[in-house]
């Protein structure tokens, strides 16, 4: 689907819930996509992208950035502690802070370098054992811990279970954010971003609807 069509749908969803379109950031999720497709979206003027693997982002974005220094990169995939330094060098936002060890590592490197990307805490709203994210019942405490480290915590992120109505999960994430005074909500993908916008999403992560299907690698 052309990028302009996605932007139209974002505008319509914002209007329907009396929100300003400028309050919703479209993250074009370029993981696994061939460089020609990424180039095409860059050519259309889009500059905000998401990757879920540090390694892949490191192989792709430094070259694009030589031509497009204003690219904003969001890391939206699980992060191992041994990749944190590289992730912090590459990305302007990390959406997947989900455990104390990771937060501590980020804090240590931020102290050392004097710089830190914007952070989101991933919440495992569906309490799925195989999925990353802090459990909802532990989220208030973890939010306090991350704040106590002095880190730039912006908001929360979730990936709802595939077989459940995502709106329930979006509403839960919004509730946890609200009671903790966090304003950013990273939620909504190709199949459900309008519903996420209706429930307050500030960052939607849209891959296949923009780029087409991912070729399985
Ligand atoms: C791949 C991915 C997306 C994009 O998914 P689509 O369904 O292609 O829009 C969003 N969020 C995360 C965390 C992802 O890994």
């Amino acid at each position: 689907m052309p990028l302009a069509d996605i932007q139209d749908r974002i505008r319509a969803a914002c209007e329907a819930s009396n929100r300003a379109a400028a309050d919703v950031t479209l993250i074009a999720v370029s993981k696994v996509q061939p460089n020609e497709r990424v180039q095409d979206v860059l050519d259309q003027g889009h500059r905000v992208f998401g990757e879920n693997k540090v390694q892949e982002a490191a192989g792709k974005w430094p070259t694009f950035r030589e031509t497009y220094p204003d690219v904003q990169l969001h890391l939206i995939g699980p992060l191992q502690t041994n990749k944190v330094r590289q992730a912090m060098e590459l990305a302007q936002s990390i959406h997947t802070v989900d455990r104390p060890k990771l937060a501590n590592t980020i804090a240590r490197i931020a102290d050392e370098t004097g710089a830190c990307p914007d952070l989101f805490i991933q919440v495992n709203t569906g309490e799925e054992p195989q999925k990353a994210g802090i459990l909802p019942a532990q989220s208030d405490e973890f939010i306090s811990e991350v704040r106590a480290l002095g880190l730039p915590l912006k908001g929360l992120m979730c990936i709802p279970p595939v077989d459940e109505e995502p709106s329930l999960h979006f509403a839960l994430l919004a509730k946890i954010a609200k009671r903790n005074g966090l304003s950013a909500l990273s939620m909504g993908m190709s199949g459900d971003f309008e519903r996420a916008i209706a429930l307050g999403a500030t960052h939607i992560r849209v891959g296949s609807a923009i780029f087409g299907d991912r070729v399985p690698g």
Side-chain angles (χ1 to χ4, degrees):
M1 184 176 286
L3 186 65
D5 291 0
I6 303 288
Q7 284 159 341
D8 284 344
R9 285 172 57 187
I10 294 170
R11 263 192 295 276
C14 285
E15 255 168 49
S17 44
N18 279 315
R19 299 188 55 204
D23 293 344
V24 177
T25 299
L26 171 61
I27 301 172
V29 179
S30 49
K31 66 181 184 202
V32 200
Q33 298 291 352
N35 282 350
E36 308 84 75
R37 289 188 187 170
V38 178
Q39 183 64 57
D40 189 52
V41 172
L42 284 163
D43 286 343
Q44 295 173 68
H46 197 74
R47 293 293 180 268
V48 186
F49 291 85
E51 290 285 344
N52 75 336
K53 292 207 174 82
V54 176
Q55 217 57 38
E56 189 185 339
K60 192 188 290 184
W61 284 101
T63 312
F64 278 128
R65 275 215 172 108
E66 288 171 16
T67 317
Y68 306 97
D70 54 342
V71 160
Q72 295 278 317
L73 207 56
H74 293 250
L75 187 74
I76 61 172
L79 183 56
Q80 296 166 274
T81 42
N82 64 359
K83 300 259 171 66
V84 169
R85 188 178 294 275
Q86 200 180 9
M88 289 173 72
E89 282 165 9
L90 273 168
Q92 282 65 53
S93 296
I94 296 176
H95 290 229
T96 48
V97 181
D98 66 350
R99 56 197 190 279
K101 189 178 176 211
L102 182 56
N104 287 324
T105 305
I106 293 172
R108 182 169 48 75
I109 296 170
D111 278 345
E112 192 189 304
T113 62
C116 188
D118 288 343
L119 301 178
F120 292 73
I121 288 174
Q122 181 175 358
V123 181
N124 186 355
T125 56
E127 307 189 26
E128 297 173 279
Q130 82 286 6
K131 200 166 268 176
I134 193 96
L135 292 172
Q138 293 163 6
S139 56
D140 291 354
E141 192 187 339
F142 186 52
I143 290 165
S144 304
E145 277 179 60
V146 172
R147 281 184 162 146
L149 289 167
L151 292 171
L153 180 64
K154 300 295 168 186
L156 305 179
M157 176 270 213
C158 76
I159 309 171
V162 283
D163 52 357
E164 288 180 29
E165 170 51 47
S167 293
L168 301 172
H169 297 272
F170 298 155
L172 173 59
L173 196 72
K175 190 172 116 184
I176 298 171
K178 184 157 190 240
R179 71 173 181 239
N180 285 284
L182 287 167
S183 56
L185 289 169
S186 167
M187 58 189 197
M189 320 202 305
S190 289
D192 56 23
F193 67 82
E194 279 119 334
R195 279 173 282 178
I197 289 171
L199 288 161
T202 58
H203 293 71
I204 58 172
R205 312 178 307 264
V206 180
S208 43
I210 295 174
F211 293 101
D213 286 337
R214 285 181 286 276
V215 185

